Amino acid sequence: MSAQKISTLSKIWRPAVFAFALLLHVGAIFFFSGRQKEEKAETVDFSQADVFKLVDVQEYVKPPVTENTQIVVNQPKASERVVETKKKVVNDFDESSFLPQHKISTVPVIPIREVLSKIEYPPMALRQGIEAVVYLELFIDSKGAIKNIKVLKDPGHGFAAAAVAALKGIMCVPANANGKNVAVRYRYPIKFTLN
C-alpha cells in the first residue's frame, strides 16, 4: 500500500474509531448511572423507620418445691361432659309505650347528686387516666321509675357498666306532656372526668 492511501485511510478511520469509542463510553456511563438509581430506589432508609422495642417474655417456670409445699394427690378430675344451662329471660318491657323525647313538654328531672354518689369510676380507666362520655337512653315511666337503660355509645374500659349501675334504682321526676305525667325515652349523657 502506498503512503498516500494509508494517510487517506487514517483520515477516515481515526474519526470513526474516535466516534465509536466515544459512543461506547457514553453508553457505559448511562448504563451504570441507571443501575445506581435502581439500586438507590430499592434501598430502605432505616433512619426514618419506627423502632419497636421487644419486651422480654419469660416462659412459665414451675415453682420450687420446698419443705412447706403441700402436694395434692387425690385431686378430682375435671368433668368431661359440659352441660349448658340457658336462663330464661322474661322481658315484659314494651318500648312502644314510651314517648320519644321530642314529644314531651318538660324533660324528666334526674337527681344528679344521688347519681354522683352512686357512681364509681372504673378502676382500669382511673389508673390509665382515661376520661369518657357514655350516652344512654333511659326508659322512664310515668311515675319516674327507670324501667330500662340502653347504652347508645360505650367508650369501653368499663364506663358503660359504671353508668348503668349508678342509674339503677333511681327515682326521677317524671316527664310531662300537655300537663300529664308520661312515660318517655330520654337520652342522657354521663361524663367521666378526673379531678
Side-chain angles (χ1 to χ4, degrees):
M1 269 193 164
S2 72
Q4 192 178 14
K5 281 188 177 184
I6 293 175
S7 151
T8 309
L9 283 175
S10 68
K11 286 182 183 177
I12 296 173
W13 282 103
R14 265 192 194 162
V17 171
F18 180 76
F20 179 75
L22 181 67
L23 192 61
L24 224 106
H25 280 88
V26 170
I29 290 171
F30 279 117
F31 176 75
F32 288 115
S33 66
R35 286 194 68 176
Q36 287 177 351
K37 286 180 184 176
E38 288 176 7
E39 289 174 3
K40 284 182 184 176
E42 291 177 12
T43 58
V44 178
D45 183 17
F46 289 106
S47 64
Q48 301 298 324
D50 292 330
V51 177
F52 295 101
K53 182 177 180 183
L54 296 177
V55 180
D56 293 336
V57 179
Q58 290 183 345
E59 293 183 23
Y60 174 73
V61 179
K62 289 184 179 180
V65 178
T66 61
E67 295 174 9
N68 297 334
T69 305
Q70 294 182 358
I71 299 173
V72 178
V73 179
N74 295 328
Q75 187 173 359
K77 292 185 178 180
S79 173
E80 295 292 324
R81 202 178 84 194
V82 177
V83 179
E84 288 187 30
T85 58
K86 291 187 179 179
K87 200 178 201 183
K88 288 187 178 181
V89 178
V90 179
N91 193 4
D92 57 352
F93 181 72
D94 182 23
E95 288 185 16
S96 63
S97 62
F98 290 81
L99 288 175
Q101 189 171 338
H102 68 275
K103 290 190 176 183
I104 59 174
S105 305
T106 58
V107 296
V109 178
I110 297 169
I112 296 171
R113 288 189 180 153
E114 188 177 347
V115 173
L116 290 176
S117 68
K118 288 178 67 178
I119 205 158
E120 290 182 23
Y121 211 96
M124 184 168 48
L126 184 63
R127 273 184 259 127
Q128 295 177 0
I130 299 172
E131 297 182 342
V133 179
V134 179
Y135 292 94
L136 303 171
E137 186 169 41
L138 307 177
F139 292 85
I140 303 171
D141 69 3
S142 59
K143 295 176 185 169
I146 298 174
K147 292 294 184 181
N148 194 17
I149 302 170
K150 193 185 283 187
V151 179
L152 299 176
K153 183 181 176 193
D154 181 8
H157 303 287
F159 286 113
V164 169
L167 285 167
K168 285 203 173 175
I170 298 282
M171 287 298 289
C172 311
V173 176
N176 196 300
N178 299 326
K180 293 171 105 178
N181 290 347
V182 292
V184 67
R185 292 190 323 243
Y186 183 63
R187 292 185 181 212
Y188 190 69
I190 295 184
K191 186 175 184 179
F192 289 83
T193 56
L194 297 168
N195 294 333

